[in-house]
Amino acid sequence: MTKGFRSKAKNVIGQFYNGLKSFTGLIILLMVYSFTGAVIFVHVETPYQDELLLAKEPKHKNMVQLLLNLTVSLNSSEFENLRDEIVTLMNKFDADNFEKNHGKRWDFWKALFFCGTIYTAIGYGDIYPRTDTGKVIAIFYAIFGIPLAFRVLAEIGKKLTTVIKFFYFGVKRFYAKNVQTADGETFKKERNGVALSTEHTEKENNDIEIVWEDKDETLIKEIENRLPLAVPVIILFIYLFLGALMYTRWEDWSYLDAFYFTFISVSTIGFGDITPAHTKYFIVTSIYVFVGLALVSVCINVFMEFYIVSIKVAAHQMNRVGSKIIKGCHGCRRRQSL
């Protein structure tokens, strides 16, 4: 009975663990981690923030209140407008003064955005914990969150690389079917900057001709299936330009400031001098930045693939040269023995 229960429990735990390791499981786990962190930080930081608001009495407040007392008994519409404007300015000054000295006020969406800046290692610095408990939680949240986020980014990067390759080589195949050579007998196939012809020669972008005597089919397949370095970089910059255009509609930013924000965010520099002001768009900003980081991961994957294949090609060529030298030495020895 006990053994049967242990076996079932072990199977359930194993299935649960395998589910978490899957792509969908990692996404769900990161979302749960983000929302849990947001709830914790709001619960820890909001009471301290409220204490600061109660304790902080701006020096201008008495003067503004005196002006309000002078105008409150008047019925003139001009004085009513003046009174409303004074109240608005006072509230705005209080909010700006608080955020200048203590950072932005905490709410759930800002806390969720803050969690994203922790595990992506951007760290704008406009929202930060003020309590000792919050600082300790932020440390441990980063310790566990950064590896999780990087694992998710790596998986998303692989998926995006596959999608980009599918569309890129699909277009290449479609183009190759409609392009004939001058003699009309063969089709010129250009794959990833490598030209293959019936003479079994290949030429790279740097115009160095590679002749394959003993063809390594696996290596040739890797060469044919690699993306040009420019493709993911162009896609990344298009994504940044489109994101900047999106932020010019949401925020009171120029296009340069919006592009500056997208670039600084996706590159994980995160100065924090320009950050979104609208709380309702924080979740969209988090998703945008995370997808941008995944595109950076695609660029890194393509760069790594390019250099790995280049090293394999160089090793293959060195082996060919080495084999020719060895054959030449054997030929010399035979002639000397004769």
Side-chain angles (χ1 to χ4, degrees), residues 49-65:
Q49 172 184 278
D50 294 339
E51 291 178 6
L52 287 176
L53 285 172
L54 291 174
K56 189 68 177 178
E57 290 290 337
K59 295 180 180 179
H60 72 290
K61 207 161 190 177
N62 292 333
M63 183 184 68
V64 172
Q65 193 62 47

Side-chain angles (χ1 to χ4, degrees), residues 121-137:
I122 297 176
Y124 292 116
D126 58 330
I127 308 174
Y128 52 90
R130 299 285 297 178
T131 64
D132 293 339
T133 303
K135 292 174 183 177
V136 173
I137 293 174

Side-chain angles (χ1 to χ4, degrees), residues 5-65:
F5 176 77
R6 288 180 179 177
S7 178
K8 290 181 179 179
K10 187 176 180 180
N11 290 334
V12 171
I13 294 173
Q15 292 177 0
F16 180 74
Y17 179 70
N18 291 331
L20 286 180
K21 290 197 302 181
S22 66
F23 177 73
T24 305
L26 288 171
I27 294 292
I28 294 174
L29 181 60
L30 185 63
M31 291 176 62
V32 172
Y33 192 75
S34 300
F35 282 99
T36 303
V39 172
I40 292 173
F41 281 112
V42 168
H43 179 73
V44 171
E45 293 296 325
T46 301
Y48 180 76
Q49 172 184 278
D50 294 339
E51 291 178 6
L52 287 176
L53 285 172
L54 291 174
K56 189 68 177 178
E57 290 290 337
K59 295 180 180 179
H60 72 290
K61 207 161 190 177
N62 292 333
M63 183 184 68
V64 172
Q65 193 62 47

Side-chain angles (χ1 to χ4, degrees), residues 1-277:
M1 187 73 177
T2 306
K3 290 183 178 180
F5 176 77
R6 288 180 179 177
S7 178
K8 290 181 179 179
K10 187 176 180 180
N11 290 334
V12 171
I13 294 173
Q15 292 177 0
F16 180 74
Y17 179 70
N18 291 331
L20 286 180
K21 290 197 302 181
S22 66
F23 177 73
T24 305
L26 288 171
I27 294 292
I28 294 174
L29 181 60
L30 185 63
M31 291 176 62
V32 172
Y33 192 75
S34 300
F35 282 99
T36 303
V39 172
I40 292 173
F41 281 112
V42 168
H43 179 73
V44 171
E45 293 296 325
T46 301
Y48 180 76
Q49 172 184 278
D50 294 339
E51 291 178 6
L52 287 176
L53 285 172
L54 291 174
K56 189 68 177 178
E57 290 290 337
K59 295 180 180 179
H60 72 290
K61 207 161 190 177
N62 292 333
M63 183 184 68
V64 172
Q65 193 62 47
L66 178 61
L67 291 174
L68 287 175
N69 292 335
L70 291 174
T71 60
V72 70
S73 60
L74 300 176
N75 295 323
S76 173
S77 60
E78 294 182 357
F79 282 106
E80 288 181 0
N81 292 335
L82 177 61
R83 181 181 60 191
D84 294 338
E85 187 175 349
I86 290 174
V87 172
T88 302
L89 290 174
M90 183 178 66
N91 293 332
K92 186 178 185 303
F93 186 88
D94 286 345
D96 293 343
N97 188 57
F98 179 86
E99 292 186 1
K100 181 179 179 180
N101 295 322
H102 306 289
K104 288 186 177 180
R105 299 185 184 184
W106 287 87
D107 57 37
F108 178 78
W109 298 112
K110 289 179 182 177
L112 186 63
F113 185 69
F114 170 71
C115 291
T117 62
I118 290 180
Y119 56 65
T120 56
I122 297 176
Y124 292 116
D126 58 330
I127 308 174
Y128 52 90
R130 299 285 297 178
T131 64
D132 293 339
T133 303
K135 292 174 183 177
V136 173
I137 293 174
I139 292 172
F140 284 98
Y141 193 84
I143 290 173
F144 294 102
I146 291 175
L148 174 62
F150 282 12
R151 174 67 186 277
V152 174
L153 286 172
E155 292 297 323
I156 296 177
K158 291 178 183 178
K159 299 291 183 183
L160 288 176
T161 302
T162 302
V163 172
I164 293 172
K165 282 186 175 181
F166 174 79
F167 283 103
Y168 175 78
F169 289 116
V171 172
K172 295 288 284 187
R173 284 191 294 268
F174 177 80
Y175 178 76
K177 289 180 181 178
N178 294 278
V179 177
Q180 284 187 319
T181 55
D183 57 6
E185 294 179 356
T186 59
F187 291 103
K188 184 179 180 181
K189 299 180 180 179
E190 293 184 357
R191 297 175 181 174
N192 196 42
V194 179
L196 301 180
S197 69
T198 55
E199 297 178 358
H200 300 291
T201 63
E202 298 179 0
K203 188 171 289 187
E204 292 187 329
N205 291 329
N206 55 7
D207 295 331
I208 298 177
E209 189 174 7
I210 302 174
V211 181
W212 302 88
E213 293 181 351
D214 300 324
K215 277 185 170 283
D216 187 340
E217 296 296 334
T218 303
L219 183 55
I220 293 176
K221 191 174 181 180
E222 290 181 3
I223 293 173
E224 293 176 351
N225 291 333
R226 70 182 181 182
L227 279 172
L229 298 179
V231 172
V233 175
I234 291 173
I235 292 174
L236 176 61
F237 272 92
I238 291 174
Y239 185 78
L240 294 178
F241 283 121
L242 292 177
L245 183 62
M246 175 182 70
Y247 280 108
T248 56
R249 297 179 178 273
W250 289 354
E251 306 287 341
D252 188 20
W253 295 347
S254 65
Y255 188 83
L256 177 60
D257 287 340
F259 182 79
Y260 170 79
F261 168 76
T262 58
F263 182 83
I264 293 299
S265 299
V266 171
S267 61
T268 70
I269 298 173
F271 290 127
D273 53 337
I274 299 178
T275 53

Side-chain angles (χ1 to χ4, degrees), residues 294-334:
L295 287 174
V296 173
S297 177
V298 171
C299 293
I300 294 173
N301 289 338
V302 173
F303 289 158
M304 292 294 294
E305 185 180 85
F306 177 83
Y307 287 114
I308 288 173
V309 173
S310 298
I311 291 171
K312 288 182 179 180
V313 170
H316 180 88
Q317 292 299 97
M318 291 177 66
N319 288 335
R320 284 188 63 254
V321 173
S323 63
K324 286 184 178 180
I325 293 174
I326 293 173
K327 287 179 182 179
C329 292
H330 285 314
C332 291
R333 290 177 182 177
R334 288 177 183 175

